[in-house]
DNA sequence: CGGGAGGTTGACAATCGTCAATCAGAGTGG
DNA sequence: CCACTCTGATTGACGATTGTCAACCTCCCG
């Protein structure tokens, strides 16, 4: 792990720029300022915690490769996954602003993260309004997804929730350029799917089986899922991509 | 409804300033800039929609008095309330940034809102970094509450969820200066409580009755609830106020 | 006094959770 | 190459939290 200045040489910061510029709000000078950030690259193991609830944090980080989750653990010890983080997502801006984390962030798979000192991000946001705006939009997108999940957990049945999760994941993977067609890796165990949907592993298993029998999905290996019929799966999942605020419509196209 | 410039005369914008300055990030010039905003005051009826999902929006608004909710309606027609808005909360920054709403905002009670043209807020955020930061923190707080609700709906049982909601509401009311002691108005019907907790009205009724029998709450009228035993109610609700990011601890103090 | 919205209650149904056993696959060491 | 082991997937039987349906009550308001 080495401290590096001017990231244009290795491309780690390019991902940050691409991600923040999703809505086209950055000017060239903004990108330049981002490239001047001091950062460290860290390889993280599967299951490793990046952020722990109620802990202070000195760094703001970006997920460069691999998958991570945000989750909370309630008093009874049960866990709820509240977000899935993909390549290019900001991991803990929350810490940078509040100083203490209100949830955990844990790697799902092995991966790499880039950490930036908290102060640098804060200074940059004050100095470059476009960057602040881009970050705000990222956070707003995040909360939009949170609301959609909440509506699902509160008001949709198990089959609908799982179908919805699969549709969302596939579409986000596609938007991030991590999947091309109908098949994508699903880096989650059934227990993790259960924690994301507010169900139990056993019931997730049964529901996946049912979706397979209905020919909505096709399962080759346990960790990879092919959407066999996007149209019907998105209907089953009550999935309407508006809340993702991305231009594309159908990942089959 | 009249367009007003320089709000210092009637105090509507002071609420915005107080609310944004909760974390003390504004300088005097920032407050001054906020006071120069063009705005309109509008009295809204109970049940009136302020924002509708998938509609475009021209204004960004602030809740000045009364209560409102954010909610989504899923395919089956069932509704999930995802946030409760109190005096001083920003209603639809989301629209101002994305252009289309990803959820509904509806008044719970009669109240007043201040609407500001979308462009003015956006310009202000680009010109005054402190204001952008204050808004970002407001949004981050909002998402922290969303995550806590999600953990509750997904992983806590009915009694815990309702106790938690009551604790949170009481504490937010206190923080906003809208409640002083243990008693506070609860501007929600049991059906609305059900939509907020992911339960049904009938079960909410039974659970409230149980909480009353356990002497955790005391119900004088259906729309007002007194927390009879904060200590035990917060234990029952698995309530830990860290996620609210407010300094205070116990609303009884 | 009448109408309506919302609160309350009982009986019953069902989605989903729990428990526990078995199975399948990946990695490891001999 | 083959036990051995561990984690996660799968399946069955059963249980319970919560939902549904329907009736009745209560209060507010015109």
């Amino acid at each position: 792990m080495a401290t590096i200045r001017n990231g244009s040489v290795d491309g780690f910061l390019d991902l940050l720029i691409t991600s923040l510029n999703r809505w086209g709000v950055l000017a060239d000078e903004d990108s330049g300022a981002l490239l001047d950030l001091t950062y460290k690259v860290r390889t993280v193991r599967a299951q490793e915690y990046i952020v722990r609830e109620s802990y202070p944090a000195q760094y703001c980080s970006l997920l460069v490769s691999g998958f991570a989750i945000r989750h909370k653990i309630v008093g009874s010890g049960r866990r709820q996954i509240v977000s899935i983080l993909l390549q290019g997502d900001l991991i803990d801006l929350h810490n940078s602003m509040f100083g203490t984390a209100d949830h955990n962030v844990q790697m799902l798979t092995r991966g790499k993260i880039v950490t930036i000192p908290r102060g640098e991000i804060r200074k940059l946001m004050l100095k470059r309004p476009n960057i602040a705006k881009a970050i705000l939009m990222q956070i707003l997108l995040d909360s939009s997804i949170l609301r959609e999940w909440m509506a699902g957990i509160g008001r949709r049945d198990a089959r609908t929730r799982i179908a919805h999760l699969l549709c969302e994941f596939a579409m986000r993977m596609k938007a991030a350029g991590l999947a091309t067609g109908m098949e994508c890796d699903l880096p989650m165990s059934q227990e993790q799917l259960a924690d994301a949907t507010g169900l139990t592993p056993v019931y997730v298993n049964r529901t996946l089986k049912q979706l397979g029998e209905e020919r909505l999905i096709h399962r080759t290996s346990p960790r990879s899922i092919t959407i066999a019929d996007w149209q019907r799966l998105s209907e089953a999942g009550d999935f309407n991509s508006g809340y993702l605020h991305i231009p594309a419509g159908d990942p089959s196209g």
Side-chain angles (χ1 to χ4, degrees), chain A:
Chain A
M1 183 160 71
T3 298
I4 302 172
R5 206 166 266 283
N6 195 342
S8 59
V9 294
D10 54 28
F12 285 121
L13 289 177
D14 292 332
L15 182 61
L16 176 61
I17 294 168
T18 309
S19 171
L20 287 181
N21 205 24
R22 188 180 307 187
W23 291 278
V25 304
L26 300 184
D28 286 347
E29 308 91 68
D30 299 315
S31 308
L34 286 167
L35 286 175
D36 279 338
L37 282 170
T38 307
Y39 70 98
K40 291 180 184 177
V41 180
R42 195 151 73 86
T43 299
V44 284
R45 299 183 310 278
Q47 319 303 329
E48 186 172 340
Y49 272 82
I50 314 297
V51 176
R52 275 181 194 274
E53 181 166 355
S54 81
Y55 278 44
Q58 300 307 318
Y59 296 98
C60 175
S61 32
L62 173 80
L63 185 59
V64 171
S65 65
F67 296 91
I69 51 172
R70 300 184 193 282
H71 68 85
K72 299 196 81 152
I73 296 178
V74 301
S76 62
R78 306 177 78 190
R79 180 176 77 157
Q80 177 67 45
I81 294 176
V82 296
S83 309
I84 301 172
L85 300 179
L86 267 49
Q87 198 175 104
D89 283 338
L90 291 168
I91 293 178
D92 56 356
L93 192 72
H94 316 77
N95 293 329
S96 304
M97 303 307 287
F98 283 125
T100 29
D102 50 49
H103 62 278
N104 306 288
V105 181
Q106 191 178 12
M107 292 302 294
L108 225 37
T109 63
R110 192 170 172 285
K112 279 190 202 307
I113 65 173
V114 155
T115 59
I116 297 157
R118 205 182 145 189
E120 288 214 26
I121 280 281
R122 293 172 73 132
K123 259 189 280 174
L124 206 53
M125 286 175 57
L126 291 178
K127 223 160 56 184
R128 305 216 62 89
N130 287 337
I131 292 179
K133 181 177 174 183
I135 288 179
L136 175 62
M137 294 193 76
Q138 194 71 32
I139 298 292
L140 286 174
L141 170 61
D142 214 73
S143 15
S144 177
I145 296 177
L146 283 175
R147 282 188 289 271
E148 182 70 21
W149 279 39
M150 200 155 120
I153 295 175
R155 292 301 190 212
R156 292 200 257 246
D157 65 18
R159 176 171 171 270
T160 313
R161 274 184 244 177
I162 291 185
H164 191 282
L165 180 69
L166 297 177
C167 288
E168 178 184 302
F169 189 76
M171 189 163 268
R172 286 183 64 201
M173 286 289 277
K174 188 122 196 277
L178 297 172
T180 48
M182 284 288 97
E183 186 174 7
C184 64
D185 292 337
L186 192 65
M188 303 171 79
S189 68
Q190 292 183 0
E191 182 174 4
Q192 290 160 343
L193 283 175
D195 284 343
T197 49
L199 299 166
T200 53
V202 174
Y203 207 70
V204 166
N205 183 292
R206 289 182 172 130
T207 310
L208 283 175
K209 185 183 171 191
Q210 192 203 333
L211 290 174
E213 284 165 354
E214 293 179 53
R215 306 274 171 216
L216 300 182
I217 61 175
H218 183 68
R219 290 187 294 164
T220 45
S221 87
R223 290 303 176 87
S224 171
I225 282 191
T226 307
I227 294 177
D229 189 331
W230 173 265
Q231 178 66 28
R232 286 205 300 140
L233 187 68
S234 57
E235 276 163 20
D238 190 18
F239 181 75
N240 194 301
S241 65
Y243 72 98
L244 290 175
H245 294 284
I246 44 180
D250 184 332
S252 65

